[in-house]
Amino acid sequence: MRTQAALGPVPTGERLDVMDVLRGIALLGVFVMNIEWFNRPMQQMGSGIPVDAAGLDYVIAWLIHVFVAGKFWTMFSLLFGMGFVLMSGRIEAAGLSVERIYLRRMAGLLLLGILHIVLLWPGDILVTYAVAGVLLMVMRGLTPKWQLLTGLLLYASIVTLYLLFAAMMLMLPEDLLAEMAAPLVAGAGRAEHVYPDGGFAAVTMQRVSDYMAIGLQSQVMTVPMALGVFLVGSWLLSGGGLQSPAVHRDFWWRLLACMLPLGLAFTAAAVALGTSFDLGAMEPRAVFAQALMLGGALPMALAYVALIVLAWSSGAGARVLGVFAPAGRMALTHYLGQSLICSLLFYGYGLGMWGELDRAAQTGLALAVFALQVAISHVWLAHHRYGPMEWVWRWLTYGRRPGWRRVPALP
């Protein structure tokens, strides 16, 4: 009979530290993007840069729109796919059921995502990851070649659907488009009133309403897109390039040489269509631009990964980038912590600063908060095996309370 080994934290010597670095950098990019939507109605997603942005505010907003928006959640999704491959391998090596444990893991993530939406922020990505993660588990028998092909097909299909929607919208009269946009405009008006001034109950109702009206409907697009990126991430890990980055530098240079021009071409085409749109999701030009930005997001994310891995594979680069690794190991804790901090700063039951910071100030705040999170991560992980929310998630996954503190080594 096969003996089942207990699953514990990955020993330091066996961790892929470069993945922790990538995850930490992705977390920063996601926060720089997300903080805007604690200050702006979710109904305006797709509208691009606010029309009143000027000076430094416009420059920062433009740089984020071009080089950050869509790229870092995609990088995070690549890492989710990589993490699945590593975790499923460890579960199998321990003689346990991948299906049973991973379903529990995704159920735990779904629960955390729902609580995130209700208590903190309707822009949650955890619910999407939980649903797409179950589908990823179902498809785990695919060979690396088919992981890549299926992932690219799924992603390209969503981009194509956006292009088709934009083409169909071009055939609609402008007054009908304005009428279709009216619910979004009304919803944005309610959000601008409730979030800065409402108490906890009112803001919570608004969060749930916004998610049901926008977030839940978007799952039709975001789940297959996330699944596609998960599969590409699974393929990316299978070649050994992350396990031995210095040995595979040629692969990473080739990936960078292919993906960066492609990503920049899509992004440049999107920017040429415009960066600000009055009707947002109901403006055909905005939907065309969004489709092109999505088309560029995956190759740009892959290019960013290649750049970071190439830097990591040099001695000096590893020393500099290593500062991000502890934050990457506590990504779930910090993702939810960022939402907690922003909700207390910007919503009415906190300081009520909704809309008071321009994009430049928001970015400065995000950088400051993230720097604090990095510092906390270094201290916390010196004494604990997991971040607080990683500990909870692991408990939900395995059904038993994991060890909390590190055991000091014997002299």
Side-chain angles (χ1 to χ4, degrees):
M1 180 180 294
R2 187 176 184 181
T3 302
Q4 290 186 349
L7 281 175
V10 180
T12 301
E14 297 178 18
R15 293 194 67 88
L16 294 182
D17 289 338
V18 67
M19 282 185 60
D20 292 330
V21 168
L22 287 164
R23 197 177 289 112
I25 293 172
L27 181 68
L28 172 59
V30 167
F31 188 26
V32 167
M33 194 65 226
N34 286 352
I35 194 172
E36 178 178 19
W37 302 104
F38 282 93
N39 290 269
R40 191 176 177 188
M42 304 290 289
Q43 291 83 355
Q44 293 181 3
M45 281 192 169
S47 299
I49 299 171
V51 293
D52 58 349
L56 179 63
D57 183 36
Y58 177 81
V59 172
I60 297 297
W62 189 91
L63 290 172
I64 292 172
H65 180 77
V66 174
F67 296 108
V68 177
K71 283 74 174 178
F72 285 90
W73 87 264
T74 307
M75 185 193 296
F76 219 113
S77 301
L78 289 168
L79 289 158
F80 191 99
M82 298 175 200
F84 170 76
V85 174
L86 291 176
M87 182 178 181
S88 59
R90 294 189 67 238
I91 294 171
E92 286 184 332
L96 302 174
S97 167
V98 174
E99 289 78 9
R100 181 176 63 83
I101 291 177
Y102 206 74
L103 280 175
R104 288 177 62 111
R105 186 170 178 82
M106 292 302 99
L109 191 63
L110 180 64
L111 174 62
L112 294 174
I114 292 171
L115 291 174
H116 183 214
I117 292 164
V118 175
L119 300 176
L120 296 176
W121 187 51
D124 170 79
I125 194 64
L126 302 181
V127 169
T128 300
Y129 277 16
V131 176
V134 172
L135 298 175
L136 177 65
M137 184 195 67
V138 172
M139 303 175 73
R140 74 186 187 93
L142 292 176
T143 63
K145 173 185 174 181
W146 283 104
Q147 288 172 348
L148 176 62
L149 292 176
T150 305
L152 292 177
L153 179 61
L154 280 169
Y155 194 89
S157 297
I158 299 303
V159 173
T160 302
L161 281 175
Y162 270 97
L163 291 171
L164 290 174
F165 288 157
M168 289 187 293
M169 291 170 69
L170 281 173
M171 296 183 286
L172 299 177
E174 289 187 7
D175 56 345
L176 179 57
L177 290 173
E179 183 178 341
M180 293 169 62
L184 290 175
V185 174
R190 287 191 297 272
E192 289 176 328
H193 171 72
V194 173
Y195 283 125
D197 301 317
F200 184 79
V203 170
T204 298
M205 290 181 63
Q206 184 67 40
R207 277 193 290 253
V208 173
S209 174
D210 284 347
Y211 183 77
M212 297 300 292
I214 300 168
L216 188 61
Q217 294 182 20
S218 71
Q219 299 294 345
V220 177
M221 294 292 201
T222 54
V223 167
M225 182 175 291
L227 176 59
V229 182
F230 290 174
L231 288 166
V232 175
S234 299
W235 163 79
L236 196 60
L237 188 76
S238 65
L242 283 170
Q243 294 87 336
S244 304
V247 176
H248 293 84
R249 285 179 65 85
D250 286 348
F251 166 78
W252 293 111
W253 278 116
R254 289 196 301 271
L255 186 67
L256 177 63
C258 292
M259 293 296 104
L260 186 59
L262 181 62
L264 289 174
F266 270 102
T267 304
V271 172
L273 283 173
T275 56
S276 297
F277 308 95
D278 292 336
L279 296 181
M282 290 296 110
E283 187 169 336
R285 192 164 52 96
V287 181
F288 266 123
Q290 188 175 4
L292 292 170
M293 288 292 277
L294 287 173
L298 179 56
M300 287 291 284
L302 287 167
Y304 290 170
V305 169
L307 278 170
I308 294 166
V309 173
L310 285 166
W312 170 265
S313 62
S314 67
R319 288 191 293 273
V320 173
L321 293 173
V323 71
F324 291 97
R329 291 177 60 188
M330 294 176 58
L332 179 61
T333 294
H334 290 319
Y335 173 72
L336 295 174
Q338 290 162 1
S339 293
L340 175 62
I341 291 168
C342 287
S343 67
L344 293 175
L345 284 175
F346 299 116
Y347 291 159
Y349 56 79
L351 296 181
M353 294 173 59
W354 166 282
E356 293 183 11
L357 300 183
D358 61 23
R359 201 66 179 97
Q362 292 170 20
T363 304
L365 177 62
L367 292 173
V369 169
F370 184 75
L372 180 61
Q373 289 183 318
V374 169
I376 289 172
S377 300
H378 282 263
V379 175
W380 181 271
L381 291 176
H383 303 284
H384 299 82
R385 292 167 144 195
Y386 317 99
M389 295 311 303
E390 286 74 16
W391 181 78
V392 171
W393 192 17
R394 190 175 185 85
W395 192 348
L396 293 171
T397 298
Y398 295 105
R400 61 179 183 272
R401 187 173 63 182
W404 180 244
R405 291 187 174 273
R406 290 189 180 276
V407 178
L410 295 175

